[in-house]
């Protein structure tokens, strides 16, 4: 066997950084589509007249399909080529956006949103995997992943603002048409700037494994979201149980299949498995608390939806530099300390918010939100970079799909658990606050949600309505305080886990870093067997 000497990975140049800018387009749009419908729902409801069930599916089907197909699309990209999958997904995403914009019925819009979910599932793992192929130098890759992570967080925050601005001047379908120009730009620039990369040794596509992954993710995400929305009920509990059984069958299939979709050996490296867990916990806190702040600004402080969205955007803009700063710190010290610091900062921000009152100053809310967002951006950017750096280049698509699946599950769990905590406190406080003689239906509505209490209070005379609304706002704030304290506790535990499990972890060499030529576990400074490389081309 012949050997070639190990050489340092080549640094990325102007072409690679320009390619990164192109990759941020789908990243922004896919994350924006999660939240872009928030303001459009009343407008499309007036025109399409969906039933209550159809309205829920219009909102949720995109996330369900996206979560269910991430693992499948990550594995498919490893086999057919990540650039090819990315560009195919961009074409589908653009076409589905046009169909959604001009949908003539609720069912047509649901179908278009499902197609958008399929397109989004092809785009997300492809973007992160291609970053692994573009940036071989660990320091540059850390900065690139930090920028990618910031774009992801920014897209979720920008979605409602952009939606509100478009709806002030155009019809509801305009919130989808904004995707089309960006997808056209990606289709034009992608073949010129992005490398094609696939794993020639991946083998046949595992169709049974793909179906099992879909049968695992869809029922689990559906069950968790339904429990968060309506509490424990037979249907979501059965869906959750079915998803867990399918997940167990999927793991067994991957352990025994000749050509598995996922390399379960990745989880033997503590850096990769802990990174997936850290991302899940960070998204748990982000999504679980976000719903409270939107309601706080709109219903407690009385802001319009557009005003609330603009103020929500401010913390995101304020922490835009935290991801690159965390990447820089991780090059100078053990990243376990940086990740733990991010969790501690996030915990501090949540504890700060636990002192929030209905009449607190707006700056109090915004600064506290900026603090916890800063910490979580640090965690997620370093977690993404560590996991992608540890995955061999030929498995980067599957690795990034696992990361994205973890964040989807984390968000759903956060909404379910933290949302349930806040709702339980709200209902307990409202039990004794309802005025006597209130009709049963109105009492139930006021007891369930702050929005319901506000609607009931508007129908009551003078001081009675004001007293009910004041009590509801106070009860909601008490629920918010309990939820953020729960998030703070999870963040504190996560900081301890990061220090315990990641401290001293080497991210290069024998610990498992996949080096520039694609061989996992080859120590720096050693020779690599000739022919062991997994090649990718940088030419169009």
């Amino acid at each position: 066997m012949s050997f070639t000497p190990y050489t340092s990975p080549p640094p990325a140049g102007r072409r690679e950084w320009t390619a990164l800018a192109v990759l941020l387009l789908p990243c922004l749009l896919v994350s924006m589509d999660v939240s872009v419908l928030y303001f459009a729902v009343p407008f499309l409801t007036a025109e399409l007249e969906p039933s209550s069930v159809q309205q829920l599916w219009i909102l949720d089907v995109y996330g369900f399909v996206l979560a269910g197909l991430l693992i499948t699309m990550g594995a498919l990209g490893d086999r057919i080529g990540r650039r090819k999958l990315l560009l195919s997904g961009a074409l589908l995403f653009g076409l589905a956006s046009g169909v959604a914009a001009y949908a003539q019925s609720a069912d047509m819009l649901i179908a278009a949103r499902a197609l958008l979910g399929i397109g989004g599932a092809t785009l997300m793992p492809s973007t992160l995997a291609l970053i692994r192929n573009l940036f071989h130098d660990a320091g540059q890759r850390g900065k690139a992943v930090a920028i990618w992570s910031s774009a992801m967080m920014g897209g979720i925050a920008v979605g409602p603002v952009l939606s509100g601005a478009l709806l002030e001047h155009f019809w509801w379908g305009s919130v989808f048409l904004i995707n089309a120009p960006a997808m056209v730009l990606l289709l034009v620039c992608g073949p010129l700037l992005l490398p094609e990369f696939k794993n020639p040794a991946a083998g046949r596509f595992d169709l049974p494994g793909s179906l099992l992954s879909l049968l695992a993710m869809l029922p689990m995400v559906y069950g968790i979201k339904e429990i968060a929305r309506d509490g424990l009920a037979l249907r979501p509990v059965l869906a959750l149980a079915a998803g867990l059984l399918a997940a167990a069958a999927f793991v067994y299939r991957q352990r025994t299949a000749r050509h598995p979709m996922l390399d379960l050996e990745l989880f033997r490296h503590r850096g990769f498995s802990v990174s997936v867990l850290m991302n899940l916990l960070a998204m748990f806190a982000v999504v679980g608390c976000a719903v409270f702040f939107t309601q706080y600004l709109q219903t407690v402080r009385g802001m319009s939806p557009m005003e609330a969205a603009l103020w929500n955007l401010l913390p995101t803009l304020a922490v835009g530099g935290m991801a690159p700063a965390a990447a820089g710190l991780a090059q100078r010290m053990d990243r376990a300390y940086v990740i733990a610091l991010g969790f501690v900062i996030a915990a501090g921000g949540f504890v700060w918010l636990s002192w929030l009152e209905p009449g607190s100053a707006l700056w109090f809310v915004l600064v506290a939100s900026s603090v916890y967002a800063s910490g979580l951006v640090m965690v997620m950017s370093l977690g993404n970079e560590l996991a992608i750096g540890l995955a061999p280049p030929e498995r980067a698509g599957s690795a990034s799909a696992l990361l994205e699946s973890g964040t989807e599950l984390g968000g759903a769990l956060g909404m379910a658990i933290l949302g349930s905590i806040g709702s339980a406190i709200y209902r307990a406080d409202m039990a004794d606050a309802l005025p006597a003689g209130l009709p049963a239906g109105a009492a139930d509505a006021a007891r369930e949600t702050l929005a319901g209490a506000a609607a009931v209070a508007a129908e009551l005379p003078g001081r009675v309505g004001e007293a009910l609304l004041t009590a509801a706002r106070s009860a909601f704030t008490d629920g918010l305080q309990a939820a953020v304290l729960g998030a703070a506790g999870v963040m504190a535990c996560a900081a301890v886990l990061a220090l315990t499990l990641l401290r001293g972890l080497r991210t290069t060499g024998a610990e498992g870093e996949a080096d520039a030529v694609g061989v996992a576990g080859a120590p720096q400074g050693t020779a690599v067997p000739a022919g062991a490389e997994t090649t990718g081309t940088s030419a169009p």
Side-chain angles (χ1 to χ4, degrees), residues 33-34 37-38 41-42 44-45 48-65 106-107 109-111 113-114 221-222 225-231 235-236 415:
D33 256 48
V34 173
L37 273 187
Y38 288 172
V41 169
L44 65 88
T45 298
L48 302 181
E49 299 181 350
S51 66
S52 58
V53 174
Q54 286 175 322
Q55 182 173 311
L56 288 177
W57 276 107
I58 288 170
L59 290 171
D60 288 341
V61 70
Y62 174 79
F64 289 161
V65 175
D107 288 337
L109 182 55
I110 291 170
R113 289 279 286 170
V221 173
Y222 168 80
K225 284 193 172 186
E226 287 299 304
I227 290 171
R229 182 183 291 133
D230 301 321
R235 181 182 296 177
M415 189 180 296

Side-chain angles (χ1 to χ4, degrees), residues 23 26 69-93 118-127 129-130 183 186-187 194-198 205 397-398 400-401:
L23 287 175
L69 290 176
L70 279 169
I71 292 176
T72 293
M73 294 304 179
L76 186 61
D78 288 342
R79 285 162 171 79
I80 69 170
R82 291 162 195 162
R83 185 181 67 181
K84 183 184 296 183
L85 184 68
L86 178 72
L87 297 179
S88 300
L91 180 61
L92 176 60
F93 202 83
I118 297 173
T122 67
L123 296 173
M124 293 308 295
S126 297
T127 56
L130 283 169
M183 291 299 106
L186 177 60
L187 288 169
L194 298 175
E196 182 57 285
F197 195 100
K198 61 183 177 180
F205 183 72
S398 298
S400 58

Side-chain angles (χ1 to χ4, degrees), residues 149-171:
S149 300
S150 298
M152 275 289 298
M153 297 289 286
I156 295 173
V158 168
V161 178
L162 182 61
S163 174
L166 289 171
L167 290 169
E168 285 190 3
H169 301 94
F170 306 101
W171 92 113

Side-chain angles (χ1 to χ4, degrees), residues 426 429-440 442-447 453 456 468 471:
Y426 175 84
D429 286 1
M430 288 297 291
D432 300 324
L434 298 176
L438 200 64
D444 290 341
R447 192 183 296 112
V456 171
L468 175 61

Side-chain angles (χ1 to χ4, degrees), residues 11-371:
R14 182 179 302 175
R15 179 191 179 94
E16 285 77 14
W17 289 107
T18 306
L20 174 64
V22 173
L23 287 175
L24 294 183
L25 288 173
C27 175
L28 275 168
L29 291 175
V30 171
S31 58
M32 279 170 48
D33 256 48
V34 173
S35 55
V36 76
L37 273 187
Y38 288 172
F39 291 166
V41 169
F43 298 90
L44 65 88
T45 298
E47 184 168 332
L48 302 181
E49 299 181 350
S51 66
S52 58
V53 174
Q54 286 175 322
Q55 182 173 311
L56 288 177
W57 276 107
I58 288 170
L59 290 171
D60 288 341
V61 70
Y62 174 79
F64 289 161
V65 175
L66 178 70
L69 290 176
L70 279 169
I71 292 176
T72 293
M73 294 304 179
L76 186 61
D78 288 342
R79 285 162 171 79
I80 69 170
R82 291 162 195 162
R83 185 181 67 181
K84 183 184 296 183
L85 184 68
L86 178 72
L87 297 179
S88 300
L91 180 61
L92 176 60
F93 202 83
L95 293 174
S97 297
V99 174
Y102 294 101
Q104 301 299 306
S105 66
D107 288 337
M108 186 176 177
L109 182 55
I110 291 170
R113 289 279 286 170
L115 289 175
L116 282 168
I118 297 173
T122 67
L123 296 173
M124 293 308 295
S126 297
T127 56
L128 195 52
L130 283 169
I131 288 175
R132 176 66 180 91
N133 303 135
L134 286 167
F135 298 91
H136 301 294
D137 176 76
Q140 290 184 322
R141 185 170 62 243
K143 294 176 183 177
V145 173
I147 295 170
W148 182 91
S149 300
S150 298
M152 275 289 298
M153 297 289 286
I156 295 173
V158 168
V161 178
L162 182 61
S163 174
L166 289 171
L167 290 169
E168 285 190 3
H169 301 94
F170 306 101
W171 92 113
W172 62 265
S174 61
V175 302
F176 294 109
L177 282 187
I178 192 64
N179 296 331
M183 291 299 106
V184 170
L185 185 60
L186 177 60
L187 288 169
V188 171
C189 297
L192 301 175
L193 294 170
L194 298 175
E196 182 57 285
F197 195 100
K198 61 183 177 180
N199 180 9
R204 297 178 60 184
F205 183 72
D206 182 17
L207 183 58
S210 173
L211 293 175
L212 284 172
S213 72
L214 187 64
L215 291 173
M217 287 295 294
L218 276 178
M220 282 197 291
V221 173
Y222 168 80
I224 292 169
K225 284 193 172 186
E226 287 299 304
I227 290 171
R229 182 183 291 133
D230 301 321
L232 288 174
L234 181 61
R235 181 182 296 177
V237 169
L238 288 176
L240 190 57
L244 291 172
L245 287 174
F250 173 74
V251 171
Y252 177 79
R253 170 73 186 180
Q254 298 311 294
R255 290 172 62 92
T256 57
R258 183 177 179 184
H259 299 294
M261 289 174 57
L262 295 180
D263 181 7
L264 297 182
E265 292 296 313
L266 285 171
F267 286 101
R268 292 185 180 275
H269 194 296
R270 58 190 170 100
F272 182 85
S273 53
V274 173
S275 294
V276 173
L277 176 62
M278 297 297 102
N279 265 24
L280 186 151
L281 294 176
M283 191 56 70
F284 171 93
V286 169
V287 176
C289 295
V291 64
F292 288 101
F293 298 127
T294 301
Q295 293 183 67
Y296 176 83
L297 293 175
Q298 291 186 38
T299 312
V300 176
R301 300 193 68 93
M303 292 183 180
S304 68
M306 185 63 181
E307 186 182 5
L310 286 170
W311 283 117
N312 259 328
L313 184 60
L314 190 61
T316 304
L317 297 176
V319 303
M322 291 305 296
L329 277 175
Q331 294 179 26
R332 293 171 173 81
M333 59 189 297
D334 192 328
R335 74 179 56 218
Y337 294 108
V338 185
I339 292 176
L341 175 63
F343 278 124
V344 169
I345 292 172
F350 286 127
V351 170
W352 184 335
L353 281 169
S354 70
W355 295 326
L356 184 67
E357 298 292 342
S360 296
L362 183 58
W363 68 263
F364 184 94
V365 182
L366 296 176
V367 174
S369 298
S370 299
V371 170

